[in-house]
């Protein structure tokens, strides 16, 4: 079923400022930028990608490219002056770079949303401020902070850097059993500010991928279930098995509340835990926000009427949002190809049900996302 909420008229007077033939600027040249660029091309847009690595995958599919560091203010200014609107493919862009871009061109999502979601402590405080539950957490800067936080939250718990961690990087599980050396554990993080998060006894991890336009229009894909291996997303399934309608509605409502509070424009993903309850539907606990297109939304390329990448382009350009419904109501599975798994590409091409996407990366290192494959399955 489609999960679309749009409180505004479907047709707005006048034309948007960004039109086919305009140039979309993308900061970041990885696979997400590549897929945004491919979607933009389908709408007649030119794409200019800004990234520090000359072999960035997105450079293969864009009209213009800038190779420069994210803190190169002069290069950022030239880039912003050459485009009609700017977006980004990952959230680790320096805040100063985002502010410099926003001073020269429309930036979506906005610099404030980026700043809020770059820091896990700021993000969780923001989410709690909306009345949405997260795991219990405490700021940790010293060994004494860690000891106190563990006493208050208990074990098991997860110690994470407040910034720049992804796919399991920058985090450490502290198990329930055994003695701990707080100073030694904190020393593993090289002095980076940290956050301790309590363990959530969840049954399923899901994410809601949703879009919000500059006019406040909102459209959400239904929650998808995510399976991780070695802290990296391995499989996404839609619909999420066993999720109750009330839980779906609650999860989507939370994503909308977050997007509106951030005055967000574009695609965002809200990762959530479903905690089983003896007397009713699962409780929804928000894990984190990704202010960008998201790995768990890759299924939408073949599996939804409007892919997350096309939806993101529509949103940041100020165009009407598309329908996020699953195609034909079919079930969808998306499998990441990680490291050497990409070597099976010929076998995957031979499967009639497989839709293969390769990211154009060179070396297939362990833990590196090299591509994904999506399968549309009979109706559940």
């Amino acid at each position: 079923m489609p999960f679309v909420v749009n409180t505004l008229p479907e047709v707005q007077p006048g034309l948007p400022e960004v039109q086919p033939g305009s140039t979309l600027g993308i900061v970041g040249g990885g696979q997400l930028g590549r897929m945004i660029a491919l979607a933009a091309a389908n709408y007649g847009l030119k794409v200019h990608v800004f990234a520090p690595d000359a072999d960035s995958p997105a450079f293969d599919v864009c009209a213009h490219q800038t190779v420069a560091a994210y803190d190169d203010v002069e290069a950022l200014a030239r880039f912003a002056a050459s485009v009609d609107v700017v977006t980004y493919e990952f959230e680790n862009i320096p805040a100063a770079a985002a502010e410099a871009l926003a001073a020269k061109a429309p930036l979506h999502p906005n610099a404030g949303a980026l700043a809020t979601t770059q820091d896990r402590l700021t993000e969780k405080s923001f989410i709690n401020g909306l009345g949405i539950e997260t795991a219990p957490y405490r700021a940790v800067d010293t060994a004494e902070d860690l000891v106190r936080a563990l006493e208050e939250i208990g074990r098991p718990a997860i110690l994470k850097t407040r910034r720049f961690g992804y796919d399991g990087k920058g985090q450490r599980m502290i198990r329930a059993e055994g003695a701990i050396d707080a100073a030694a554990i904190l020393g593993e993080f090289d002095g980076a500010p940290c956050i301790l998060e309590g363990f959530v006894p969840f049954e399923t991890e899901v994410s809601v991928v949703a879009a919000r336009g500059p006019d406040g229009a909102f459209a959400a894909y239904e929650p998808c279930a995510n399976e991780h291996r070695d802290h990296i997303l391995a499989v996404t399934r839609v619909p999420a098995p066993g999720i109750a309608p009330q839980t779906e509605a609650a999860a989507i409502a939370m994503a909308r509340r977050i997007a509106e509070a951030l005055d967000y424009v574009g695609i965002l993903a809200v990762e959530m835990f479903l905690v089983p309850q003896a007397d009713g539907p699962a409780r929804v606990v928000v894990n984190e926000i990704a202010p960008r297109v998201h790995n768990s939304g890759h299924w939408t390329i073949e599996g939804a009427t409007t892919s997350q990448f096309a939806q993101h382009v529509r949103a940041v350009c100020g165009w009407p949002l598309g329908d996020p419904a699953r195609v034909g109501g079919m079930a969808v599975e998306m499998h990441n190809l990680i490291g050497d798994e990409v070597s099976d590409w010929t076998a995957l091409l031979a499967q009639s049900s497989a839709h293969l996407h390769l990211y154009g990366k060179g070396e297939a290192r362990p833990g590196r996302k090299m591509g994904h494959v999506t399968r549309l399955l009979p109706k559940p």
Side-chain angles (χ1 to χ4, degrees):
M1 60 179 293
F3 286 93
V4 183
V5 182
N6 189 341
T7 57
L8 299 169
E10 291 187 4
V11 179
Q12 297 292 316
L15 289 172
E17 292 184 10
V18 180
Q19 299 182 35
S22 299
T23 300
L24 170 65
I26 302 173
V27 181
Q31 66 263 23
L32 299 180
R34 180 186 179 100
M35 288 183 273
I36 295 170
L38 290 169
N42 287 334
Y43 287 134
L45 293 164
K46 300 179 179 67
V47 172
H48 186 165
V49 173
F50 185 110
D53 301 317
D55 60 350
S56 295
F59 284 166
D60 294 340
V61 296
C62 68
H64 308 286
Q65 55 187 250
T66 293
V67 180
Y70 293 129
D71 59 359
D72 187 333
V73 176
E74 292 184 0
L76 288 167
R78 290 193 299 271
F79 166 74
S82 74
V83 304
D84 297 286
V85 63
V86 180
T87 190
Y88 45 86
E89 64 132 23
F90 76 130
E91 60 267 47
N92 289 338
I93 301 163
E99 291 167 1
L101 290 166
K104 299 289 185 179
L107 175 69
H108 301 306
N110 62 65
L114 184 67
T116 299
T117 55
Q118 279 184 331
D119 185 302
R120 288 188 171 95
L121 181 63
T122 302
E123 179 181 271
K124 281 189 163 49
S125 299
F126 162 75
I127 295 168
N128 285 173
L130 298 177
I132 297 173
E133 183 182 359
T134 65
Y137 63 93
R138 298 290 187 276
V140 172
D141 294 307
T142 66
E144 291 75 17
D145 290 340
L146 179 56
V147 170
R148 187 181 310 110
L150 287 168
E151 289 174 350
E152 295 173 354
I153 290 176
R155 293 193 279 169
I158 305 174
L159 186 64
K160 301 179 180 179
T161 56
R162 285 173 52 176
R163 302 171 66 87
F164 303 125
Y166 64 96
D167 287 346
K169 299 177 177 66
Q171 61 181 263
R172 185 193 196 280
M173 172 71 76
I174 300 177
R175 303 192 180 280
E177 65 280 355
I180 65 163
D181 184 332
I185 291 173
L186 206 58
E188 297 172 14
F189 292 82
D190 296 324
C194 292
I195 181 173
L196 184 76
E197 298 179 5
F199 179 74
V200 177
F202 68 94
E203 186 173 70
T204 307
E205 180 180 313
V206 302
S207 55
V208 173
V209 177
R212 184 174 182 271
D215 59 358
F218 179 85
Y221 300 92
E222 61 193 286
C224 55
N226 300 318
E227 177 184 325
H228 290 77
R229 297 171 192 159
D230 299 323
H231 303 289
I232 301 172
L233 179 63
V235 184
T236 292
R237 295 181 175 88
V238 187
I243 187 170
Q246 305 97 305
T247 305
E248 289 193 30
I252 291 168
M254 289 177 187
R256 184 174 191 181
R257 200 181 319 161
I258 288 167
E260 290 179 345
L262 291 170
D263 194 21
Y264 197 90
V265 173
I267 284 279
L268 85 164
V270 183
E271 299 176 19
M272 306 172 177
F273 299 129
L274 303 186
V275 181
Q277 304 295 295
D279 56 352
R283 191 172 90 250
V284 180
V285 177
V286 168
N287 180 27
E288 62 183 27
I289 306 165
R292 52 174 169 79
V293 292
H294 194 257
N295 194 173
S296 68
H298 290 357
W299 68 269
T300 63
I301 298 174
E302 287 83 25
T305 304
T306 308
S307 79
Q308 69 162 341
F309 301 101
Q311 193 80 293
H312 185 71
V313 171
R314 286 171 175 244
V316 302
C317 291
W319 298 353
L321 300 182
D323 185 354
R326 269 184 292 130
V327 173
M330 299 185 74
V332 189
E333 284 191 4
M334 187 281 300
H335 292 247
N336 274 330
L337 301 176
I338 301 169
D340 288 339
E341 291 176 348
V342 73
S343 63
D344 293 333
W345 65 273
T346 51
L348 292 168
L349 284 176
Q351 298 176 12
S352 59
S353 63
H355 299 271
L356 179 65
H357 297 261
L358 300 179
Y359 301 152
K361 297 180 179 180
E363 183 183 359
R365 298 191 298 269
R368 192 181 196 193
K369 296 173 183 174
M370 302 297 295
H372 71 268
V373 60
T374 302
R375 296 178 177 86
L376 276 60
L377 308 173
K379 294 182 180 181

